[in-house]
Amino acid sequence: MVPRLSINRPLRAVFFEEEKMEQKLISLIKQLETKLKEIETINDLNLLKSEYLGKKSVFNDLMKELKNVSKEEKPTVGKMINEAKQTIAKRIEEAKLSLEQKMVEHKIKTETIDVTLPGKNMNIGSKHLISQIIEEVEDIFIGLGYTVKEGPEIETDLYNFEMLNLPKNHPARDMQDSLYISEEKLLRTHTSPVQVRSLLENKNQEPMKIICPGKVYRKDDDDQTHSHQFTQIEALVIDHDATLADLKGTLLFVAKKLFGEDREIRLRPSFFPFTEPSVEVDVTCYKCGGKGCSMCGYTGWIEILGAGMVNNNVLKNAGYDPNKFQGFALGMGVERIAILKYGIDDIRAFYTNDLRFNQQFRGK
Ligand code: PHE
């Protein structure tokens, strides 16, 4: 018996053309099935699909052959061709599904993630040491009830000097030889003008406690210990009865927080036009504990900042009655604190931004 393509086909006399076509179609399907077994990619499968089902496929030729088939046989042969075409389409679709399934399985196998492996370290950078020290000092002062203020880096001569009791042409200005932008404007030489700004802003003349960190500029030749740009933190307290004793208590508290609980401080008389009396503040050397070593120049003490009671002229200039108000101010150099805390031997390291330097202070 001749193998049949369609099981639904009624049993009847098998004509010659019909039989020939059936043989052709069966071998075509067999041929395809063999080829499908070797297919490895979707791309190859698509090529095979157009070879068997596309415009120029064998089926086109078979359709042409249909013309020569006798009238009686035409419907059966035509149906046979169509059925074969459908079978081929089905085989290709099945092959496609199983190929896709295989690809997914392969992907799952090759792309499995070992969640127990350590992750890749991302370089997320860190805060500059100067910013870290500023935040440390801010935290200490905020804990004492101070608020943090900011002021402009381009400052007027009036706020930077005159209202701070440093009149034009006063020889004390020499201490802060400066970078002028015009007659009246300059890069601020210290954060003290923020004292003036804060006093003026405080219209109701309430008692106040502020600190102000920021960059300051001086006409200095840069070397190991000098920089034309550095950072200061100013503090100002105005009240009716704030005394030098309060200043000393504050300084001792801050020094202990910054340099260690067993530090002591001492105040030496000094001069600043905007404070009276003025003091220079030393802290006991944290390396030798005060005995004397190379760090402290064998004195046992290290100078950390300048401070004093706000000069009456500064209060008057800002419209405060010196008989009703008094207070204190201090100014510290942030680079100096960093140099002392971490034994840094060149101030230029803070701004040349050599990563080998900066990275030593990650996450401090
Ligand atoms: N402004 C002073 C300076 O830069 C420091 C200072 C501030 C001193 C406040 C006393 C009070 O040298």
Side-chain angles (χ1 to χ4, degrees):
M1 244 209 8
V2 181
R4 305 274 170 214
L5 257 184
S6 164
I7 40 161
N8 295 326
R9 204 149 54 91
L11 251 177
R12 58 188 179 85
V14 177
F15 294 97
F16 176 66
E17 286 299 337
E18 198 180 323
E19 205 174 303
K20 238 173 59 183
M21 183 60 83
E22 189 163 35
Q23 288 302 339
K24 250 189 212 172
L25 292 171
I26 286 172
S27 68
L28 202 64
I29 292 173
K30 280 208 172 126
Q31 189 191 52
L32 173 88
E33 283 173 346
T34 322
K35 283 188 186 171
L36 278 177
K37 278 186 196 136
E38 281 154 24
I39 289 291
E40 275 174 2
T41 67
I42 292 282
N43 202 18
D44 289 346
L45 187 73
N46 286 337
L47 289 175
L48 204 63
K49 189 175 174 181
S50 64
E51 185 186 327
Y52 278 82
L53 298 173
K55 277 188 188 148
K56 288 179 182 163
S57 69
V58 269
F59 281 99
N60 271 352
D61 302 336
L62 292 178
M63 283 311 205
K64 276 178 210 151
E65 271 179 42
L66 199 57
K67 276 187 224 145
N68 311 324
V69 174
S70 70
K71 230 183 181 179
E72 297 90 333
E73 284 180 287
K74 214 174 239 171
T76 330
V77 174
K79 198 175 165 213
M80 230 185 244
I81 297 177
N82 265 338
E83 278 178 359
K85 208 171 172 182
Q86 277 166 21
T87 310
I88 286 183
K90 209 173 139 203
R91 294 277 179 282
I92 291 176
E93 192 51 32
E94 283 165 3
K96 191 177 166 205
L97 287 178
S98 92
L99 203 60
E100 278 170 356
Q101 178 67 24
K102 265 190 213 150
M103 277 161 64
V104 171
E105 277 164 16
H106 178 74
K107 236 182 165 186
I108 291 174
K109 252 189 223 153
T110 51
E111 288 181 10
T112 41
I113 299 167
D114 183 351
V115 289
T116 62
L117 282 175
K120 275 187 192 159
N121 264 343
M122 299 240 278
N123 191 352
I124 51 168
S126 60
K127 280 184 187 147
H128 192 278
L129 179 57
I130 294 299
S131 305
Q132 293 177 33
I133 304 263
I134 290 175
E135 283 180 13
E136 196 179 336
V137 175
E138 279 177 357
D139 280 353
I140 298 170
F141 277 97
I142 288 170
L144 291 171
Y146 288 65
T147 28
V148 180
K149 296 209 60 142
E150 281 188 348
E153 286 171 30
I154 296 177
E155 195 43 285
T156 58
D157 187 88
L158 186 68
Y159 288 176
N160 195 79
F161 291 131
E162 285 171 63
M163 288 189 66
L164 285 168
N165 201 28
L166 267 155
K168 281 200 159 83
N169 302 319
H170 194 284
R173 283 196 182 197
D174 270 1
M175 289 202 300
Q176 301 186 5
D177 214 356
S178 314
L179 296 162
Y180 277 84
I181 291 165
S182 68
E183 277 285 297
E184 287 305 320
K185 285 196 173 143
L186 74 158
L187 296 179
R188 68 177 174 194
T189 58
H190 50 180
T191 41
S192 298
V194 178
Q195 287 188 34
V196 179
R197 287 177 175 273
S198 305
L199 288 170
L200 292 176
E201 269 171 29
N202 184 21
K203 295 251 155 39
N204 296 330
Q205 303 197 333
E206 304 279 352
M208 67 169 154
K209 301 201 274 191
I210 59 115
I211 62 162
C212 168
K215 294 192 191 91
V216 301
Y217 304 83
R218 292 192 192 173
K219 200 168 137 287
D220 245 335
D221 286 332
D222 290 12
D223 62 22
Q224 219 171 330
T225 51
H226 295 88
S227 172
H228 64 284
Q229 178 203 305
F230 55 101
T231 322
Q232 285 190 335
I233 298 177
E234 191 84 9
L236 171 70
V237 171
I238 292 293
D239 210 327
H240 302 288
D241 52 4
T243 65
L244 192 67
D246 294 318
L247 171 61
K248 195 175 177 190
T250 307
L251 289 168
L252 182 61
F253 181 81
V254 174
K256 281 177 184 286
K257 287 277 171 215
L258 276 176
F259 295 105
E261 280 305 317
D262 14 294
R263 300 281 76 79
E264 292 300 330
I265 56 163
R266 76 174 180 191
L267 307 186
R268 282 180 290 111
S270 183
F271 169 77
F272 298 104
F274 31 89
T275 46
E276 178 63 36
S278 301
V279 291
E280 212 80 63
V281 184
D282 297 341
V283 64
T284 42
C285 179
Y286 46 85
K287 202 171 170 194
C288 62
K291 286 193 206 92
C293 69
S294 59
M295 180 87 195
C296 55
Y298 299 95
T299 63
W301 295 96
I302 294 174
E303 184 190 320
I304 54 163
L305 55 86
M309 298 305 291
V310 177
N311 190 301
N312 281 352
N313 287 339
V314 174
L315 289 172
K316 273 191 233 155
N317 289 344
Y320 285 65
D321 180 351
N323 293 317
K324 290 191 187 143
F325 291 97
Q326 61 184 49
F328 59 81
L330 60 96
M332 64 174 94
V334 180
E335 281 78 359
R336 180 155 178 81
I337 305 286
I339 285 169
L340 293 173
K341 270 187 92 144
Y342 298 110
I344 295 157
D345 57 9
D346 192 334
I347 195 169
R348 291 168 294 194
F350 292 114
Y351 63 81
T352 43
N353 277 332
D354 184 332
L355 284 180
R356 288 168 302 180
F357 173 78
N358 290 351
Q359 283 173 345
Q360 290 178 60
F361 305 103
R362 297 193 107 176
K364 271 266 153 54

